[in-house]
Every structure is written in C-alpha cells, then in structure tokens.
Amino acid sequence: MTTKDPLGILGRTINGKYTIEAAVGEGGAATVYRAKNHEWNITVALKFYVALSQAPEDQREKLLAEFIQEGRLMTHLSSRSAAIVQPRDMGAYTTEDGMWVPYLVLEWLAGAPLDVVLVDETEKGVAPRTLEETLELVAPVAEALDVAHAEGIV
C-alpha cells in the first residue's frame, strides 16, 4: 500500500544514511517509509512515531529513553525468532517545519498485507486455502506470539 507523504520527507536523507524512497503506511501512532541505507546498500523500513512528536520538549528525553528501551526489547525478541522483524537502528528527526519525530529502522519485509492478498485472491477467483495451507501461513505469527509470551509480554 502506498500512501501520501505525511511528513514531507520523500527524497530526503535522514541521519546521513537513509534516503526516503516512498511512504508505505500510515496509522494513528506512526508512519512507515521505505528507505535505502547507503552504508549497507540495503532497503529498510523507517517507522516514524508521529504520536511522540506531540510531546512537550521537556518530556522528549524521557520518551526517547522509553523508545530506546522498546527498541532493545524488540531486538531481544527478534534474536529469538526469524518471525519477528529485526530492528537495525533508531534515532530522532526534526522535519523542516520543526516537528521532532523519533524513528525506528527495521528490516524491510517485501510483500503485501494479508488482507490485501486475500481480497486480491478472491477477486481473481483463487480457491480458498486448505486448512494445512492456512496453518502454514499463520505459523510464523504463532511462533512470534509464543516468543513474546515466553518473555512475559501479553
């Protein structure tokens, strides 16, 4: 899914190494962009936590520390399972209009959301998946949930 450029950063280079190529998703708390990491020559996802940008300046350091802790947890969980997206880096960016936005750099997972795939398959007349195919499809999700649950994360 491609979306507009809510932060106005298409084509910009973030932190001297991530060139923003496309906006790919937007939700209530965050906006995700596809970017090129020039140091490693790989495509990555940059997830900008727009909701944190509304915090008063005197609270940003505390919020950034909590954000960093979340990144640590995500790194720990992803080291236990390939089914969990891997964080690569994190930081904060200030847009041209002065909005401070922390971001998390994640491995790029190419593909389409499941709901988009299912609608597309239905429109093309593809037969529904068998139970075995469905279980194979959702097995990585179950694995990721098992890893998180084992760490006491609900």
Side-chain angles (χ1 to χ4, degrees):
M1 157 176 104
T2 302
T3 188
K4 60 188 185 333
D5 181 12
L7 296 178
I9 59 174
L10 284 178
R12 297 197 187 280
T13 299
I14 307 298
N15 196 21
K17 59 185 168 184
Y18 305 109
T19 299
I20 304 298
E21 297 178 336
V24 296
E26 185 176 11
T31 300
V32 179
Y33 287 85
R34 185 185 71 233
K36 184 69 154 195
N37 177 324
H38 295 286
E39 291 181 333
W40 296 341
N41 194 32
I42 60 171
T43 300
V44 295
L46 263 70
K47 185 173 186 178
F48 289 88
Y49 287 87
V50 181
L52 293 180
S53 69
Q54 307 304 318
E57 283 189 45
D58 64 339
Q59 294 179 17
R60 288 181 185 170
E61 192 171 318
K62 177 183 179 284
L63 290 170
L64 194 54
E66 292 172 1
F67 180 66
I68 290 168
Q69 180 58 32
E70 183 178 332
R72 276 190 197 112
L73 175 61
M74 196 171 186
T75 299
H76 172 71
L77 293 174
S78 69
S79 73
R80 300 201 46 226
S81 171
I84 299 173
V85 67
Q86 295 181 359
R88 306 268 191 214
D89 196 3
M90 60 188 331
Y93 177 73
T94 302
T95 64
E96 279 192 357
D97 62 357
M99 183 170 61
W100 173 85
V101 188
Y103 63 86
L104 187 59
V105 181
L106 304 165
E107 70 178 310
W108 178 255
L109 300 175
L114 181 58
D115 63 332
V116 172
V117 170
L118 294 175
V119 167
D120 185 52
E121 289 176 354
T122 300
E123 289 173 353
K124 290 179 179 174
V126 175
R129 286 178 176 74
T130 64
L131 177 59
E132 293 78 19
E133 291 168 332
T134 301
L135 291 173
E136 184 178 325
L137 182 68
V138 299
V141 176
E143 179 184 332
L145 289 171
D146 185 53
V147 167
H149 182 71
E151 292 292 325
I153 299 168
V154 178

